[in-house]
Amino acid sequence: MKTKAPPPIAHLAGRATLPLIEAYLEFNHLKQLYRQGWLRVGVPPERCESVGEHSLGVALLCLFIAESWFPEADAFKTVRIALLHDLGEARVGDITPHDGVDRAQKHALERRAVEQILGKLPRGAEYLALWDEYEQGSSFEARLVRQVDRLEMGLQACVYEHQGMGDLSQFFASAQNVMETPPLRALFEELQTLRPPAR
């Protein structure tokens, strides 16, 4: 798993500290962890986004989309789920479909990691329940975040294509497969029109 630096939690080297500081040093690794799918298609490390950057993009999009287009959604809950959805990657890395890890195993690894990170915090069980909700798609908000997660990937693919990183059609195809709601389908169709012409 390619990263910019080792996990910051290693700096504690077994020393005890406040739970919030420990949790921060855990999730700070999302800033060090490259999105592995981009590296796999040739985006150089110096241009490759981190999981932390992706998660910020998803959370901001969720805020804007939930508040503007989905009045039936709980926007606060949507943003909370978005902020938590990739947390397990802080320990297990950014496992992609090309890594040969089946869905159930990936889920188990990430859930254990999320439990360990959030278990330090006073409201950890509440946050873990939101993460579970995302994984299970058991609420409208969770399903909305899942779509926005892929939408953000499509938007980043468009940026990379305009920066000369090649044809990233596979990422658009993957994103298109999960667009369930008409507003997000329409947004995704508009995004497709913004892609640079094929060379």
Side-chain angles (χ1 to χ4, degrees):
M1 194 70 56
K2 294 183 181 176
T3 65
K4 297 178 186 180
I9 192 71
H11 299 306
L12 282 184
R15 289 176 50 200
T17 188
L18 296 172
L20 183 61
I21 293 174
E22 193 170 338
Y24 175 82
L25 292 174
E26 291 264 25
F27 71 72
N28 181 275
H29 190 53
L30 297 176
K31 298 180 184 182
Q32 320 298 324
L33 179 62
Y34 292 117
R35 292 266 285 167
Q36 304 298 305
W38 300 129
L39 293 176
R40 187 182 56 75
V41 296
V43 174
E46 63 273 12
R47 303 282 292 284
C48 187
E49 74 170 339
S50 69
V51 174
E53 290 166 326
H54 161 72
S55 294
L56 174 64
V58 173
L60 285 170
L61 286 170
C62 280
L63 174 66
F64 304 147
I65 287 169
E67 289 190 338
S68 299
W69 295 344
F70 296 97
E72 69 274 28
D74 178 336
F76 179 58
K77 180 179 180 180
T78 304
V79 173
R80 292 173 87 202
I81 292 171
L83 288 168
L84 294 166
H85 84 283
D86 279 332
L87 190 60
E89 296 182 17
R91 282 193 172 209
V92 302
D94 181 26
I95 299 170
T96 75
H98 300 274
D99 292 326
V101 178
D102 72 44
R103 190 177 185 89
Q105 183 183 8
K106 178 180 186 290
H107 172 79
L109 290 169
E110 290 184 354
R111 190 177 197 286
R112 188 165 38 254
V114 172
E115 282 177 337
Q116 291 167 338
I117 295 167
L118 296 178
K120 303 170 177 66
L121 301 175
R123 296 175 70 171
E126 179 184 336
Y127 303 139
L128 178 60
L130 288 168
W131 185 88
D132 279 334
E133 202 171 304
Y134 171 78
E135 285 290 304
Q136 296 160 8
S138 58
S139 67
F140 178 78
E141 290 81 4
R143 292 187 297 276
L144 183 59
V145 175
R146 187 166 299 282
Q147 293 172 77
V148 175
D149 178 57
R150 295 293 182 87
L151 174 64
E152 198 281 339
M153 181 183 71
L155 287 159
Q156 184 61 55
C158 188
V159 169
Y160 280 147
E161 284 188 337
H162 279 282
Q163 292 175 342
M165 299 296 164
D167 180 353
L168 299 174
S169 294
Q170 63 185 295
F171 294 93
F172 288 93
S174 172
Q176 190 166 18
N177 289 338
V178 300
M179 296 300 147
E180 299 170 4
T181 56
L184 291 183
R185 278 199 301 267
L187 182 61
F188 191 75
E189 286 168 14
E190 175 65 18
L191 174 60
Q192 294 270 38
T193 71
L194 300 177
R195 294 177 67 190
R199 294 178 185 171

